[in-house]
Amino acid sequence: MYQDDKRVVLTLDAGGTNLVFGAMQGGEFITSPLTLPSHSDNLDLCLETIVKGFKEMLKQVPQKPVAISFAFPGPADYPRGIIGGYLPNFPSFRDGVALGPYLENVFGLPVFINNDGDLFAYGEALSGTLPLINQELEKAGSCKRYNNLMGFTFGTGFGVGIVVNNQLNIGDNSCVEIFCHPHKHLREIICEEGVSIRAIKRVYKEMSGDDVSELTPFDIFKIAEGEKEGDRQAAVKAFEMFGEVAGEAISIVAQLIDGIVVIGGGIIGAKKYFLPALLKQMRGELSTLSGAKVKRIQMDVYNLDDPQELEKFTIGNSRTIKVPGTDKEVPYDPEKKIGVAFTKIGASEAISKGAYAFALSKLDNQ
C-alpha cells in the first residue's frame, strides 16, 4: 500500500532520549536519519529541537512534503495533535501541548501524530508481517487470510497497537493501552512493571541478590549466555518472568482481536529466553467452576518464526466441501489459529512506514 506513491512525508520517531527524523516516499526512506537529543524535560528546548529537525529534513527532500507524520510515546489527544497526560518520557508535556497545531503553523503542512505502538502495528499490517504471512498462506494454497494485527513493543515500556480489517483502531479517546493491565502475579501492580527494561533489571536483582551492579538488559542477556560474570540462573529467570507476564497480557488482547501478534522493540534480541514462557502462557488452560479445562485462547497459537510451525500454520487443514443441493465446492479450513512473530523490518522502520501510510490515508479521505 502506497509503495508506488510519489508523495513525500516527513517523519519522526520521538523517544524520551532521542528524536529520530526522516523523510519517506513510496513507503521508503529517502534521506539519512537525523538523530537529535529530545530535551524532554525542557518544553521550549524540545520544541526548538523538533522544529530544527524537520527544517533539516526539508533541505534534503527532492520536493515539497505533503505532510508531517510521526509517533509519540504515551496517551494523548492525537486526533487534535495535543500531547499531554501520563507521559513519563516527556514530563514537560504533561500539562498539555498543542504540538500538532504548533507545527502546522510553523511549516504550513498537515500534521498527524499517533502513539508509537499504534504506528508500529499499522506499519506491520500494511508493509511488514501481515502481508508476508498472507503471501505464505497464498503460496501454500490456503483459503485463510488475515486482516487483523496486534503490535506489541518491548522496551522502556510496554506498548500496543491494534489494526482491525486493515484499519488502525485508535479508540474514541486515542487511548488504546496495555501497560496498565494488571501484572499476572502482582494483581494490584501494572503489567509494565513486569514487561519493560526496568522489570528485567529488578527481577535479576531480586533473584541474584546483587543490589550493587547497575546492569542493563543486554548485560543480563550476556550473563544468561555465559558471556559475562554473574548469576546465570537469575538472568534466565528474569527473562522467563518477563515472558510470562507479557504472555498473560497479550493473551487478553489476542482473544478479543483474533489476529496476528507481532512483537518489536529493543528487548527482542533476548527472545530465546522469554519466548517459550510467553507461548506457554498463551497456550495454557483455565478452569471452569465445575473443573472443566478451557484453552486460555480459543485459537491455536503458532510460533511463526519457527519454520516447522510456520509450515503447519500456512498449510493448515484446507480442503473443499460441497454446497448442499449443488455441484459446487467451496474452500474450507476449520482450524482456528493465530500466530506470534517478531518484526522483520524493525520497530523504528515499522513506525515510520505506519506514519507515512497514516498521513496519506488521512489526506486521501479528507
Side-chain angles (χ1 to χ4, degrees), residues 204-222:
Y204 177 78
K205 283 186 176 183
E206 291 174 355
M207 297 292 295
S208 67
D210 182 356
D211 290 327
V212 178
S213 303
E214 288 299 324
L215 300 172
T216 66
F218 184 60
D219 291 328
I220 297 169
F221 172 74
K222 289 198 290 185

PDB file of all heavy atoms in Angstrom, residues 204-222:
ATOM      1  N   TYR A 204      16.227  -9.532  38.100  1.00  0.00           N
ATOM      2  CA  TYR A 204      17.579 -10.065  38.225  1.00  0.00           C
ATOM      3  C   TYR A 204      18.164  -9.718  39.588  1.00  0.00           C
ATOM      4  O   TYR A 204      18.786 -10.567  40.256  1.00  0.00           O
ATOM      5  CB  TYR A 204      18.495  -9.538  37.119  1.00  0.00           C
ATOM      6  CG  TYR A 204      19.919 -10.036  37.282  1.00  0.00           C
ATOM      7  CD1 TYR A 204      20.254 -11.327  36.915  1.00  0.00           C
ATOM      8  CD2 TYR A 204      20.908  -9.227  37.850  1.00  0.00           C
ATOM      9  CE1 TYR A 204      21.548 -11.818  37.103  1.00  0.00           C
ATOM     10  CE2 TYR A 204      22.195  -9.695  38.041  1.00  0.00           C
ATOM     11  CZ  TYR A 204      22.509 -10.988  37.662  1.00  0.00           C
ATOM     12  OH  TYR A 204      23.779 -11.474  37.867  1.00  0.00           O
ATOM     13  N   LYS A 205      17.973  -8.477  40.016  1.00  0.00           N
ATOM     14  CA  LYS A 205      18.495  -8.069  41.322  1.00  0.00           C
ATOM     15  C   LYS A 205      17.858  -8.885  42.440  1.00  0.00           C
ATOM     16  O   LYS A 205      18.534  -9.327  43.376  1.00  0.00           O
ATOM     17  CB  LYS A 205      18.240  -6.575  41.549  1.00  0.00           C
ATOM     18  CG  LYS A 205      19.180  -5.657  40.797  1.00  0.00           C
ATOM     19  CD  LYS A 205      18.961  -4.205  41.189  1.00  0.00           C
ATOM     20  CE  LYS A 205      19.977  -3.290  40.511  1.00  0.00           C
ATOM     21  NZ  LYS A 205      19.835  -1.891  40.932  1.00  0.00           N
ATOM     22  N   GLU A 206      16.540  -9.089  42.359  1.00  0.00           N
ATOM     23  CA  GLU A 206      15.838  -9.850  43.394  1.00  0.00           C
ATOM     24  C   GLU A 206      16.305 -11.301  43.429  1.00  0.00           C
ATOM     25  O   GLU A 206      16.495 -11.878  44.509  1.00  0.00           O
ATOM     26  CB  GLU A 206      14.329  -9.793  43.148  1.00  0.00           C
ATOM     27  CG  GLU A 206      13.714  -8.425  43.375  1.00  0.00           C
ATOM     28  CD  GLU A 206      12.245  -8.374  42.994  1.00  0.00           C
ATOM     29  OE1 GLU A 206      11.721  -9.384  42.464  1.00  0.00           O
ATOM     30  OE2 GLU A 206      11.612  -7.321  43.213  1.00  0.00           O
ATOM     31  N   MET A 207      16.481 -11.903  42.257  1.00  0.00           N
ATOM     32  CA  MET A 207      16.843 -13.316  42.193  1.00  0.00           C
ATOM     33  C   MET A 207      18.320 -13.560  42.533  1.00  0.00           C
ATOM     34  O   MET A 207      18.673 -14.606  43.080  1.00  0.00           O
ATOM     35  CB  MET A 207      16.560 -13.865  40.789  1.00  0.00           C
ATOM     36  CG  MET A 207      15.097 -13.835  40.386  1.00  0.00           C
ATOM     37  SD  MET A 207      14.073 -14.977  41.341  1.00  0.00           S
ATOM     38  CE  MET A 207      14.763 -16.543  40.836  1.00  0.00           C
ATOM     39  N   SER A 208      19.163 -12.599  42.193  1.00  0.00           N
ATOM     40  CA  SER A 208      20.607 -12.783  42.389  1.00  0.00           C
ATOM     41  C   SER A 208      21.105 -12.213  43.714  1.00  0.00           C
ATOM     42  O   SER A 208      22.182 -12.586  44.186  1.00  0.00           O
ATOM     43  CB  SER A 208      21.381 -12.124  41.247  1.00  0.00           C
ATOM     44  OG  SER A 208      21.232 -10.712  41.293  1.00  0.00           O
ATOM     45  N   GLY A 209      20.327 -11.287  44.284  1.00  0.00           N
ATOM     46  CA  GLY A 209      20.786 -10.606  45.491  1.00  0.00           C
ATOM     47  C   GLY A 209      21.821  -9.541  45.215  1.00  0.00           C
ATOM     48  O   GLY A 209      22.434  -8.990  46.142  1.00  0.00           O
ATOM     49  N   ASP A 210      22.040  -9.215  43.958  1.00  0.00           N
ATOM     50  CA  ASP A 210      23.027  -8.200  43.563  1.00  0.00           C
ATOM     51  C   ASP A 210      22.356  -6.827  43.555  1.00  0.00           C
ATOM     52  O   ASP A 210      21.686  -6.458  42.593  1.00  0.00           O
ATOM     53  CB  ASP A 210      23.584  -8.540  42.180  1.00  0.00           C
ATOM     54  CG  ASP A 210      24.657  -7.551  41.727  1.00  0.00           C
ATOM     55  OD1 ASP A 210      24.916  -6.562  42.438  1.00  0.00           O
ATOM     56  OD2 ASP A 210      25.231  -7.775  40.647  1.00  0.00           O
ATOM     57  N   ASP A 211      22.541  -6.075  44.624  1.00  0.00           N
ATOM     58  CA  ASP A 211      21.951  -4.743  44.710  1.00  0.00           C
ATOM     59  C   ASP A 211      22.955  -3.651  44.366  1.00  0.00           C
ATOM     60  O   ASP A 211      22.665  -2.467  44.507  1.00  0.00           O
ATOM     61  CB  ASP A 211      21.410  -4.490  46.124  1.00  0.00           C
ATOM     62  CG  ASP A 211      20.183  -5.332  46.438  1.00  0.00           C
ATOM     63  OD1 ASP A 211      19.407  -5.582  45.500  1.00  0.00           O
ATOM     64  OD2 ASP A 211      20.027  -5.744  47.597  1.00  0.00           O
ATOM     65  N   VAL A 212      24.145  -4.055  43.931  1.00  0.00           N
ATOM     66  CA  VAL A 212      25.216  -3.086  43.696  1.00  0.00           C
ATOM     67  C   VAL A 212      25.392  -2.784  42.208  1.00  0.00           C
ATOM     68  O   VAL A 212      25.450  -1.622  41.795  1.00  0.00           O
ATOM     69  CB  VAL A 212      26.546  -3.605  44.285  1.00  0.00           C
ATOM     70  CG1 VAL A 212      27.670  -2.606  44.000  1.00  0.00           C
ATOM     71  CG2 VAL A 212      26.405  -3.850  45.780  1.00  0.00           C
ATOM     72  N   SER A 213      25.455  -3.834  41.394  1.00  0.00           N
ATOM     73  CA  SER A 213      25.742  -3.656  39.967  1.00  0.00           C
ATOM     74  C   SER A 213      24.597  -2.948  39.247  1.00  0.00           C
ATOM     75  O   SER A 213      23.426  -3.224  39.501  1.00  0.00           O
ATOM     76  CB  SER A 213      25.978  -5.020  39.305  1.00  0.00           C
ATOM     77  OG  SER A 213      27.024  -5.716  39.936  1.00  0.00           O
ATOM     78  N   GLU A 214      24.947  -2.035  38.360  1.00  0.00           N
ATOM     79  CA  GLU A 214      23.958  -1.363  37.514  1.00  0.00           C
ATOM     80  C   GLU A 214      24.018  -2.009  36.134  1.00  0.00           C
ATOM     81  O   GLU A 214      24.737  -1.558  35.249  1.00  0.00           O
ATOM     82  CB  GLU A 214      24.238   0.139  37.445  1.00  0.00           C
ATOM     83  CG  GLU A 214      23.911   0.891  38.721  1.00  0.00           C
ATOM     84  CD  GLU A 214      22.433   0.782  39.103  1.00  0.00           C
ATOM     85  OE1 GLU A 214      21.575   0.758  38.194  1.00  0.00           O
ATOM     86  OE2 GLU A 214      22.150   0.699  40.301  1.00  0.00           O
ATOM     87  N   LEU A 215      23.265  -3.072  35.981  1.00  0.00           N
ATOM     88  CA  LEU A 215      23.310  -3.853  34.760  1.00  0.00           C
ATOM     89  C   LEU A 215      22.182  -3.465  33.815  1.00  0.00           C
ATOM     90  O   LEU A 215      21.064  -3.189  34.250  1.00  0.00           O
ATOM     91  CB  LEU A 215      23.204  -5.347  35.088  1.00  0.00           C
ATOM     92  CG  LEU A 215      24.306  -5.920  35.980  1.00  0.00           C
ATOM     93  CD1 LEU A 215      23.961  -7.346  36.377  1.00  0.00           C
ATOM     94  CD2 LEU A 215      25.656  -5.868  35.287  1.00  0.00           C
ATOM     95  N   THR A 216      22.460  -3.486  32.528  1.00  0.00           N
ATOM     96  CA  THR A 216      21.435  -3.274  31.509  1.00  0.00           C
ATOM     97  C   THR A 216      20.829  -4.635  31.135  1.00  0.00           C
ATOM     98  O   THR A 216      21.424  -5.683  31.432  1.00  0.00           O
ATOM     99  CB  THR A 216      22.042  -2.636  30.258  1.00  0.00           C
ATOM    100  OG1 THR A 216      22.949  -3.585  29.657  1.00  0.00           O
ATOM    101  CG2 THR A 216      22.782  -1.347  30.593  1.00  0.00           C
ATOM    102  N   PRO A 217      19.670  -4.645  30.468  1.00  0.00           N
ATOM    103  CA  PRO A 217      19.147  -5.925  29.980  1.00  0.00           C
ATOM    104  C   PRO A 217      20.139  -6.667  29.075  1.00  0.00           C
ATOM    105  O   PRO A 217      20.175  -7.892  29.080  1.00  0.00           O
ATOM    106  CB  PRO A 217      17.885  -5.514  29.217  1.00  0.00           C
ATOM    107  CG  PRO A 217      17.422  -4.287  29.918  1.00  0.00           C
ATOM    108  CD  PRO A 217      18.700  -3.560  30.282  1.00  0.00           C
ATOM    109  N   PHE A 218      20.941  -5.926  28.314  1.00  0.00           N
ATOM    110  CA  PHE A 218      21.943  -6.576  27.471  1.00  0.00           C
ATOM    111  C   PHE A 218      23.017  -7.252  28.324  1.00  0.00           C
ATOM    112  O   PHE A 218      23.477  -8.351  28.003  1.00  0.00           O
ATOM    113  CB  PHE A 218      22.580  -5.567  26.515  1.00  0.00           C
ATOM    114  CG  PHE A 218      23.553  -6.188  25.549  1.00  0.00           C
ATOM    115  CD1 PHE A 218      23.143  -7.167  24.651  1.00  0.00           C
ATOM    116  CD2 PHE A 218      24.885  -5.807  25.536  1.00  0.00           C
ATOM    117  CE1 PHE A 218      24.026  -7.756  23.757  1.00  0.00           C
ATOM    118  CE2 PHE A 218      25.789  -6.385  24.649  1.00  0.00           C
ATOM    119  CZ  PHE A 218      25.353  -7.361  23.762  1.00  0.00           C
ATOM    120  N   ASP A 219      23.407  -6.598  29.427  1.00  0.00           N
ATOM    121  CA  ASP A 219      24.348  -7.223  30.356  1.00  0.00           C
ATOM    122  C   ASP A 219      23.760  -8.519  30.918  1.00  0.00           C
ATOM    123  O   ASP A 219      24.450  -9.544  31.009  1.00  0.00           O
ATOM    124  CB  ASP A 219      24.661  -6.280  31.520  1.00  0.00           C
ATOM    125  CG  ASP A 219      25.463  -5.064  31.113  1.00  0.00           C
ATOM    126  OD1 ASP A 219      26.276  -5.169  30.169  1.00  0.00           O
ATOM    127  OD2 ASP A 219      25.266  -3.997  31.728  1.00  0.00           O
ATOM    128  N   ILE A 220      22.485  -8.453  31.288  1.00  0.00           N
ATOM    129  CA  ILE A 220      21.815  -9.625  31.870  1.00  0.00           C
ATOM    130  C   ILE A 220      21.674 -10.715  30.822  1.00  0.00           C
ATOM    131  O   ILE A 220      21.791 -11.913  31.121  1.00  0.00           O
ATOM    132  CB  ILE A 220      20.460  -9.208  32.464  1.00  0.00           C
ATOM    133  CG1 ILE A 220      20.699  -8.203  33.602  1.00  0.00           C
ATOM    134  CG2 ILE A 220      19.681 -10.418  32.982  1.00  0.00           C
ATOM    135  CD1 ILE A 220      19.443  -7.517  34.107  1.00  0.00           C
ATOM    136  N   PHE A 221      21.442 -10.339  29.580  1.00  0.00           N
ATOM    137  CA  PHE A 221      21.396 -11.314  28.483  1.00  0.00           C
ATOM    138  C   PHE A 221      22.752 -12.003  28.342  1.00  0.00           C
ATOM    139  O   PHE A 221      22.823 -13.231  28.176  1.00  0.00           O
ATOM    140  CB  PHE A 221      21.014 -10.612  27.179  1.00  0.00           C
ATOM    141  CG  PHE A 221      21.131 -11.478  25.953  1.00  0.00           C
ATOM    142  CD1 PHE A 221      20.202 -12.474  25.690  1.00  0.00           C
ATOM    143  CD2 PHE A 221      22.178 -11.308  25.064  1.00  0.00           C
ATOM    144  CE1 PHE A 221      20.312 -13.284  24.569  1.00  0.00           C
ATOM    145  CE2 PHE A 221      22.303 -12.104  23.937  1.00  0.00           C
ATOM    146  CZ  PHE A 221      21.359 -13.105  23.689  1.00  0.00           C
ATOM    147  N   LYS A 222      23.839 -11.241  28.413  1.00  0.00           N
ATOM    148  CA  LYS A 222      25.168 -11.836  28.294  1.00  0.00           C
ATOM    149  C   LYS A 222      25.480 -12.759  29.471  1.00  0.00           C
ATOM    150  O   LYS A 222      26.166 -13.768  29.318  1.00  0.00           O
ATOM    151  CB  LYS A 222      26.227 -10.732  28.169  1.00  0.00           C
ATOM    152  CG  LYS A 222      26.190 -10.009  26.825  1.00  0.00           C
ATOM    153  CD  LYS A 222      27.466  -9.243  26.541  1.00  0.00           C
ATOM    154  CE  LYS A 222      27.613  -8.040  27.454  1.00  0.00           C
ATOM    155  NZ  LYS A 222      28.816  -7.239  27.075  1.00  0.00           N
TER     156      LYS A 222
END
